[in-house]
């Protein structure tokens, strides 16, 4: 078995957060006797259970797995901080994941990057690849810029040159219309992935950087399930998409997807659209909304990057 989507906060990162708690406005919120939430800059508080923080607990969960691709926690991207602050945590986090990989061959790692400074992010990615990490986890953009914005070209050039994996993982959507009943997570999270992926297609990023392996979180958001609408638009407005080399469906089938969908019917549809080779087992462990109950035999358990 493998897991392409899991998160961990190494001890070195926890120590850095404690030492810099005032700077990044870190708060530990006691919800009850069993649950403590971690909040960074008053955003996206999440339950800090021992599977996030204790190496023994985290690694024990993967004792029967062949491989697990470990990513930093999105709440710790720190894109809203000054670059020197973000890059300091980037170094600590990435070094800790390199150490985890060295201690247990079950684990591969994805770096975190200073996405708000693509030039700095490119250097961090190159260093991470040299240290043995597979690539990086990145948010869907920065500020009003989606990942397809030319602002991020320095990062994509580095990722293309190193044949890196870029795991596109959303942050919670802040649209006030979703400010009810966990909708920022339930709807906002897959919506952010959809926006990022659609822009990567229509703005030609996949054509310009063919050596990057793009992995989309949570089954690609809503993209695969509205690919018919994109295809119809491609046919109806040919001039708008004349620069593209493939159809929307072909682009959609070039992404890799995790299987974090919680519904076998939805997963089967994704497999039909993208093909078995492009859909990889993932869990989103140890977040509350994780998905272990999948039949891995119908998915690609031997992707070339794991």
């Amino acid at each position: 078995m493998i897991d392409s989507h899991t998160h961990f906060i190494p001890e070195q990162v926890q120590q850095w957060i404690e030492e810099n708690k005032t700077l990044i406005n870190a708060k530990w919120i006691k919800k009850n006797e069993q649950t403590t939430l971690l909040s960074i800059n008053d955003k996206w508080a999440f339950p800090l259970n021992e599977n996030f923080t204790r190496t023994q607990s985290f690694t024990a969960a993967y004792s029967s797995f062949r491989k697990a691709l470990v990513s930093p926690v999105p709440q710790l991207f720190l894109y809203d901080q000054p670059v020197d602050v973000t890059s300091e945590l980037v170094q600590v986090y990435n070094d800790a994941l390199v150490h985890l990989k060295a201690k247990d061959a079950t684990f591969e790692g994805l770096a975190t990057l200073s996405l708000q400074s693509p030039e700095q992010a490119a250097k961090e990615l190159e260093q991470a690849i040299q240290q043995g990490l597979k690539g990086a986890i990145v948010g869907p953009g920065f500020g009003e810029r989606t990942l397809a914005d030319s602002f991020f070209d320095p990062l994509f050039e580095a990722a293309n040159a190193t044949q890196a994996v870029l795991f596109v993982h959303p942050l919670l959507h802040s649209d006030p219309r979703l400010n009810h009943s966990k909708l920022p997570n339930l709807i906002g999270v897959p919506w952010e992935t959809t926006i990022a992926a659609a822009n990567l297609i229509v703005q030609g990023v996949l054509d310009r950087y063919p050596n990057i392996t793009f992995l989309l979180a949570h089954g690609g958001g809503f993209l695969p399930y509205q690919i018919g609408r994109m295809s119809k638009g491609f046919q109806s407005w040919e001039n708008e998409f004349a620069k593209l080399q493939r159809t929307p469906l072909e682009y959609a089938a070039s992404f890799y997807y995790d299987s974090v969908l919680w519904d076998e019917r939805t997963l089967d549809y994704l497999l039909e659209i993208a093909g078995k080779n492009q859909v990889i087992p993932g869990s989103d462990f140890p977040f509350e909304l994780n998905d272990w109950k999948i039949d891995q035999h119908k998915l690609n358990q031997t992707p070339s990057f794991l």
Side-chain angles (χ1 to χ4, degrees), residues 2-4 66-69 106 108 134 280-281 301-306:
I2 68 169
D3 189 349
S4 66
R66 180 180 66 81
K67 282 291 180 182
L69 186 60
T106 301
E108 300 289 348
K134 293 293 185 178
I280 306 169
Q301 298 185 69
T302 57
S304 58
F305 54 88
L306 272 184

Side-chain angles (χ1 to χ4, degrees), residues 12 14 91 106 122 124 144-145 208 239 260 280 289-290:
Q12 302 94 314
Q14 298 173 53
Q91 188 69 56
T106 301
E124 293 163 350
E144 297 299 314
R145 294 184 170 103
R208 295 198 302 276
N239 290 340
V260 186
I280 306 169
L289 298 186
N290 60 68

Side-chain angles (χ1 to χ4, degrees), residues 202-203 230-246 248:
V202 302
Q203 296 192 50
M230 289 192 70
S231 298
K232 181 61 176 177
F234 184 85
Q235 297 167 4
S236 300
W237 302 315
E238 291 183 1
N239 290 340
E240 182 72 22
F241 303 107
K243 63 182 181 296
L244 299 182
Q245 299 173 12
R246 290 172 280 174

Side-chain angles (χ1 to χ4, degrees), residues 72-84:
V73 174
Q75 285 87 339
L76 296 174
F77 285 166
L78 301 189
Y79 298 158
D80 56 352
Q81 294 287 334
V83 175
D84 61 330

Side-chain angles (χ1 to χ4, degrees), residues 6-11 14 28 30 32-38 46-62 70 73 93 100 107 285-288 290 292:
T6 183
H7 302 279
F8 183 57
I9 309 175
E11 182 179 349
Q14 298 173 53
W28 291 261
K30 191 82 169 178
N32 53 49
E33 287 301 316
Q34 291 77 37
T35 306
T36 297
L37 305 180
L38 175 61
F46 65 101
L48 201 62
N49 63 60
E50 66 176 14
N51 291 317
F52 274 120
T53 59
R54 293 188 61 226
T55 303
Q56 184 176 1
S57 297
F58 180 77
T59 56
Y62 288 97
V70 185
V73 174
Y93 218 139
L100 176 67
F107 299 104
F285 179 80
F287 278 106
E288 294 167 288
N290 60 68
W292 291 97

Side-chain angles (χ1 to χ4, degrees), residues 193 256 298:
T193 304
Y256 282 90
K298 66 169 67 173

Side-chain angles (χ1 to χ4, degrees), residues 149-277:
D149 195 294
S150 60
F151 175 75
F152 297 107
D153 282 353
L155 171 59
F156 287 143
E157 288 166 5
N160 198 62
T162 56
Q163 300 184 28
V165 176
L166 290 184
F167 180 27
V168 181
H169 193 296
L171 299 166
L172 293 186
H173 198 64
S174 57
D175 189 323
R177 294 174 298 173
L178 301 182
N179 194 26
H180 302 281
S181 304
K182 299 290 187 179
L183 287 180
N185 194 322
L186 297 174
I187 299 298
V189 161
W191 175 236
E192 287 289 334
T193 304
T194 306
I195 294 170
N199 273 285
L200 289 173
I201 291 174
V202 302
Q203 296 192 50
V205 173
L206 302 182
D207 293 328
R208 295 198 302 276
Y209 302 107
N211 296 326
I212 299 175
T213 297
F214 284 101
L215 171 62
L216 302 182
H218 313 117
F222 303 126
L223 176 75
Y225 322 101
Q226 287 296 330
I227 200 64
R229 184 178 180 88
M230 289 192 70
S231 298
K232 181 61 176 177
F234 184 85
Q235 297 167 4
S236 300
W237 302 315
E238 291 183 1
N239 290 340
E240 182 72 22
F241 303 107
K243 63 182 181 296
L244 299 182
Q245 299 173 12
R246 290 172 280 174
T247 67
L249 181 57
E250 289 170 326
Y251 286 115
S254 72
F255 287 117
Y256 282 90
Y257 302 84
D258 71 22
S259 61
V260 186
L261 287 165
W262 305 279
D263 189 303
E264 289 290 335
R265 297 164 300 178
T266 311
L267 182 58
D268 287 343
Y269 175 76
L270 176 59
L271 286 164
E272 182 178 343
I273 291 295
K276 176 180 178 178
N277 187 66

